[in-house]
Amino acid sequence: MALTLSKKAMAVKPSSTLAITAKAKEMKANGIDVVGFGAGEPDFNTPENICNAAINALKEGFTKYTPASGTLELRKAICEKFKYNNINYEPNQIIVSNGGKHSLTNVFSAILNPGDEVIIPAPYWLSYPEIVKLADGVPVFIKAGKSQSYKITAKQLEEACTDKTKAFILNSPSNPSGMVYTREELEALADVIVKKDIFVVSDEMYEHLIYGDEEHVSIASLNDEIYKRTITCNGVSKSYSMTGWRIGYTGSSKEVAKVMESVQSHQTSNPNSIAQKAALEALVGSQDSVLAMKKEFEERRDYMTEQINNMKYVSALKPQGAFYVFVDVSETFDKMYKGQKISTVDNLATILIEDFKVAVIACEDFGFNDHIRLSYAISLKNIKKGLDRIEEFLNQLS
Ligand SMILES: Cc1ncc(COP(=O)(O)O)c(C=O)c1O
């Protein structure tokens, strides 16, 4: 046989968010003054107490294999953390992984058989469909537009279920829309999930980054029936500014956890031992840094949403969580820039980076071909500079 490669692996789309961020970094390295709104990670350092825990782990020689599912002390701490979400898990229901993405990979490897459908509400985080496909699943998209605050309804979920549906992905707060589902909305979705007897993969990665009066509700906490069907995914990456440390975790039924543990034991043995000690400190140590980061994000969010909604041709709902503003740019289509029509969101993003030195994420890969995503995980100074440049571009449209 010729040296052919895996069709499944080759069908995976490269991450466009990482690509634009890399392009902006490259331009910066070449001395170009680019404002990058692509960031998918907080711009704060990992808090000192967390770094110190890792240094101590090294000094104490905590540098060997750990149990595949993570150390017992960390899994116990995660159980305590889940109590704040009103969910009771025991340590053997917890799998610590090498980051949120890895948890999702474990989940879909554990629950999917070839051809099983996974319902993904659009807009969605671009990795979901690719991770599902890699586990032989079939992504099925339901669109939730701006008029419904980018959140799907129970009716839409019910209508999308077929006899092949295995799971539904819920992401609240959402990347990219920043929207948060209310308790009532979750209750209605949970009723459908229980009725259709499917899993819900609840990605709560941005749980701590919720602003104003919104509350985070974990769907697993609603009742025993939904608890059995929920795989709650979380991690330390976004809340504790620990994106490089690679620690994610799940809470699920013992049966699902056991299969994920076996899969992980062969694929990676265990999550990094030092990073596990750091994650433990993140969960049990002072939460002051989370609050400080949240306060700063909230100020940036308020400023950014207001500015965007004062510009012509673009608008955005005020995000309730995460650190992204999801901007509707549909009105720019068919407008002229330098004698050419703006035709697609990619076209718009290319003009912005090339002519105005602003990197934005075109959201085609997030299931919305007329929106861009702007991250506010950059300084207020840069936000101001970048928004001025976007406005300058909009003012040139005719
Ligand atoms: C919604 C969502 N879930 C999970 C992740 C993955 O997090 P991690 O960096 O821990 O893999 C991300 C990262 O962008 C995300 O936006």
Side-chain angles (χ1 to χ4, degrees), residues 17-18 39-41 97-104 124-128 131 170-176 203-206 233-238 242-249 322-324 366 373:
T17 52
L18 295 185
E41 59 184 352
S97 73
N98 299 276
K101 274 187 189 170
H102 185 224
S103 287
L104 291 162
Y124 47 79
W125 175 47
L126 80 176
S127 291
Y128 293 141
I131 295 174
L170 175 70
N171 176 216
S172 177
S174 153
N175 172 9
D203 182 349
E204 304 179 13
M205 188 54 90
Y206 293 93
C233 301
N234 210 322
V236 294
S237 299
K238 314 284 176 173
M242 290 178 72
T243 43
W245 298 76
R246 313 309 305 137
I247 294 288
Y249 56 84
F323 40 68
Y324 310 104
F366 291 72
R373 191 193 75 177

Side-chain angles (χ1 to χ4, degrees), residues 137-199:
V138 179
V140 173
F141 303 108
I142 325 178
K143 191 158 181 166
K146 195 173 174 187
S147 61
Q148 56 189 94
S149 300
Y150 307 110
K151 295 190 273 189
I152 64 152
T153 61
K155 185 166 175 279
Q156 280 180 295
L157 177 61
E158 181 149 16
E159 283 167 2
C161 285
T162 70
D163 54 3
K164 291 201 182 120
T165 307
K166 180 54 95 47
F168 160 59
I169 302 183
L170 175 70
N171 176 216
S172 177
S174 153
N175 172 9
S177 74
M179 292 300 137
V180 172
Y181 281 82
T182 64
R183 182 177 290 276
E184 293 68 35
E185 287 163 345
L186 291 175
E187 277 166 356
L189 291 172
D191 285 347
V192 175
I193 292 157
V194 172
K195 182 170 151 196
K196 296 290 177 182
D197 202 15
I198 59 175
F199 286 106

